[in-house]
Every structure is written in structure tokens, then in C-alpha cells.
Amino acid sequence: MSSVSSASGAASVTSLGVGSGLPLEDLMTSLQNAENTKLKIIDNQRATIKDKISGYGKIQSSLSALNSAIQALGDPAGFGSVSAKASGSDFTATAVPGTVTGTFQVQVNSLAKSQVLLTHGVASMTAPIVDASNVPGTISFSLGGQTKTLDLSATDGSLGAIVSAINSDSTLGVRASIVNDGSANPYRMMLVPASTGTAAAITDVSVAGNTALESLIGFGASAPGSTVTEQAASNANITLNGVAITSSTNTLSNVMQGLTLNLNAVSTSGAQALTVANDADATVKKITEFVNAYNSVMSQVKMQTAYNAASKTGSALTGDGVALMTTRRLSGVTTVVNSANTVFKTLSSIGITTSPPSNEIQIDSTKLNAALSSNSTEVKSLFQGANGVVGYVKQAYADLAGSSGSLTNATSGAQSRVKSLDSYYNSTSDRIALTLSTWRSKFTRLDKMVGQMNNTSASLSNQFASLQGTKK
């Protein structure tokens, strides 16, 4: 090994052994290689542990996907989905799990509509509508059994300002707009309740302190000479299997328990069929997602613990007890028994069985669909009931990958060992550097001393040779 030194401003390259002729630089290199072996051992240990951490991480990632799948399967609203389909376009329907299934006849007789009040026209939207008092006044709206007031004193009393003030107060329950009919006095105020149906209709509009505005928008019993025109509100009306049902809105919630209808149009060709049925496809999809996620965990564990007998090489977690525990813990789900059920007590009874030797599970779709068709309640209980599949897998996930799970703890312990090895590597590296520096100093002194001795020896040899020549 060479070093660069400087003396008197000029750089010079020195190398051990130059003065003595001894292979000191080679010896130094051998010593350094021998010392660096210690670092390689630490490095290999770190790499092995980091591979374990990576393996644990991949298994935990697959477990996280399994946990998501089992959470979805455990959602009471998501399991045993029910579909509701209309034969036409007069209405649409939605149903929640538990809704009575069957085919029903629905006829839409009328839709819910909002009341519309329309004033006579004025010539300008910006001119104040005031009487001799020259104040905008206060409007009162009566609807839904309540009376709400709006003070217009902060406005200029114009049609545009009044409309803006009405729309700025959501508590009134009234929306206003301006219609331009193109006549000589084109600007007309239109008032519409915020809700549909007769119960939400405006029954009275009065103005205090401004007779000019009263004559424009007054309506109801307080304004017997009103010029306001009305399009009356109406309620929705349907017949469901001959039973008349009325609603103030076009969304009929719980028209049957769990069933909601959204009305689109009045039926012109008689009743339309509504079919409410168990949505087995949605349930099968969730079960399939669970099975796929379960198999991914098993496949990942197998990959991380594999051993190649031919090459005699292992994987990151070959023989690792924590990784192998994952397989044993999860595979117990195939032995879960719901004793509360009479027919479908285990996964195998609905067509979900183990596929040895992979430890993965497989679905017999025919058997699963038959189970859902014949007794979806027991299938749901098998998964979501007390001591069911969902509960078992959730607990297994917590035991393996939860905050205090075995994989979590193993990962944390491995990470701590890596940190310890990092510190050990750094301290060992420092010791090696000090050792090599000490040896280089010793070799430098040896090189210098042997060099001086060689020079002395050469000088004496020359002197002896000169003396021999003189004697001759």
C-alpha cells in the first residue's frame, strides 16, 4: 500500500520495503485482508437478517390483503347482498340484506311535485318596489305549519335584491328566481318550496310595511285579491301489489322493510314487475376474494421458507419457526365448526376445501352456489356467526401481524439486531484501522532500520574490497 506525503512543497510517493527490500507492502496487504474478513462476517450476518426482514415483510403484506378481504366478508351490510330490479324504467329500486325476496307489481300513479307560485310582472329588476313609506318591509312565509319572516330593510327593495335575500336564508324553506316572459312588464318572481309534496306547500305570503310589495307577492288568506298564480304541489302515489302508498317525495324509503323505490315517471302501460332476490354473485365474489387472499399468504410463506434439495440452498426464512407458524395458525380456519348451524357447519360443507400439499384452499363453485341458494342464512352464520370463519381469521391476523403479533415482534427483533451489527461493524472497522496503522508504523520503522543496516553493510563491503585491492 502506498501513501502520499509531502516535504518542502514537493510530493513524493513512498512504499514500504523500498529501503529494506523486504516484501513489507505485501505483508501489509495480507494483514489488511485478514482483518477485513472480520467485517465480511458481520456484513454477511447483516445481509442474512435483512433478508429475513424482507421475507417477514412480504408475508405481512399478504396477511394485510387477507385482513382486508375478511373485513369485507364480515361486513353485515355486504354479506348476503340483495338485488332489486325493475322490469321497466318507471322506477328504480335498492334493497338491503334481509329484505323479503320475491316478485312484486308496482304502478306509479303520480309523482311528487313542488308547488310553484308566480307573481305578475314588473318593468325592472332593479327599481325599488315600495309604497309611500319608501321602506322594503318584511315578508312572512307560512308553510309546513310554520311561519318564517324575512326583514328586507338591508336591501334596496328591488325585485333582484328581494330574490337574492330569500335565497340567502335557507331557514325559510323557499327558493326564489326571476322569470322573464318577454312582455312589457317581463320580470316575474317565482317561488318554490324547498321540498316536494303537499305538506311542504306555501299556504300564505304576506308583507308588513310595504303595500306595493304586498300587492305583488301576497298569497293565501291574508291576500284575498292576490294576483299570484299557483301550480299546486302533489304527492307521489303508487300501488304495490294493489296496496296504495303515498309519499311527499319521489324517494320512498322502506316502502317494504329494507326496500327503497326511486320514482322516475308515471306508469302509462300498467304495473311493472319488481324482482327482489338474493344477490349470490356479490357474496361469491367476496368469498372468492377471501380464498385468493388466503392462498396468497400460503404461497408467500412457501416461497420464503423453500429449500432446494438439489442445490442445497435455502430461502430467507427456511426453517424459520415464526414463518411456519403463520401456515399452521391460518390453516386452522378449515377446521372451524359453527355448531349453531344444522347443515352448513364447516367450510368444506359449502365447497371450500384444502388442496394438499400446498395448504391452499379451493372452491367448488357448484356446491357453494347451491349452499347460498338453499340456505344463505346458514352460510352467513358460518362466516359471521360467533366462533365463525371471520372471527377466526381476524384473531389469527392479530396474533400474527397485529401490534404484538409474532411476525411483528420477529421483525422488530431482527431490526434491532441489524442496528447492533451496524454499531459492531463500525467499532470493528475503527479497531482494524487502528491495528493497521500500528502495523504500518512498525513496518515503516523496520524498513528504515533494515535499510540503514543494508547501507552500512554495503559501505563496509566496499571498504573491505578497497583494502583487498590495496594489498595486491
Side-chain angles (χ1 to χ4, degrees), residues 212-238:
L213 184 59
E214 168 76 14
S215 68
L216 177 68
I217 66 172
F219 173 77
S222 64
S226 173
T227 60
V228 173
T229 59
E230 177 189 16
Q231 294 178 23
S234 64
N235 292 327
N237 179 272
I238 68 167

Side-chain angles (χ1 to χ4, degrees), residues 263-292:
L263 308 185
N264 301 320
V266 173
S267 300
T268 57
S269 303
Q272 294 181 352
L274 168 64
T275 302
V276 181
N278 291 319
D279 189 359
D281 289 345
T283 303
V284 169
K285 182 175 182 291
K286 291 182 185 298
I287 292 174
T288 301
E289 289 171 349
F290 156 67
V291 169
N292 290 341

Side-chain angles (χ1 to χ4, degrees), residues 48-246:
T48 299
I49 297 173
K50 286 181 178 180
D51 286 344
K52 279 181 174 287
I53 293 172
S54 176
Y56 290 145
K58 290 174 182 177
I59 294 174
Q60 285 178 300
S61 179
S62 63
L63 279 169
S64 179
L66 174 62
N67 187 51
S68 296
I70 205 65
Q71 293 289 348
L73 196 53
D75 182 2
F79 194 99
S81 299
V82 176
S83 64
K85 298 178 181 178
S87 62
S89 59
D90 293 348
F91 63 91
T92 59
T94 57
V96 300
T99 302
V100 174
T101 59
T103 300
F104 309 92
Q105 298 298 315
V106 178
Q107 180 166 320
V108 181
N109 301 314
S110 64
L111 296 178
K113 295 180 181 179
S114 296
Q115 176 194 42
V116 178
L117 300 181
L118 194 64
T119 71
H120 67 262
V122 296
S124 171
M125 290 193 301
T126 57
I129 304 171
V130 293
D131 57 17
S133 65
N134 202 35
V135 294
T138 300
I139 306 177
S140 295
F141 297 99
S142 296
L143 67 166
Q146 294 182 313
T147 298
K148 302 290 181 71
T149 60
L150 176 65
D151 185 358
L152 299 174
S153 60
T155 73
D156 61 10
S158 66
L159 191 67
I162 294 169
V163 166
S164 178
I166 292 172
N167 291 333
S168 297
D169 189 347
S170 60
T171 65
L172 297 176
V174 177
R175 298 189 298 267
S177 58
I178 296 174
V179 177
N180 183 342
D181 65 10
S183 65
N185 295 305
Y187 302 112
R188 307 172 70 179
M189 182 187 298
M190 184 167 68
L191 297 172
V192 181
S195 302
T196 57
T198 57
I202 300 169
T203 57
D204 195 88
V205 181
S206 62
V207 180
N210 185 350
T211 57
L213 184 59
E214 168 76 14
S215 68
L216 177 68
I217 66 172
F219 173 77
S222 64
S226 173
T227 60
V228 173
T229 59
E230 177 189 16
Q231 294 178 23
S234 64
N235 292 327
N237 179 272
I238 68 167
T239 54
L240 173 64
N241 279 14
V243 178
I245 300 173
T246 300

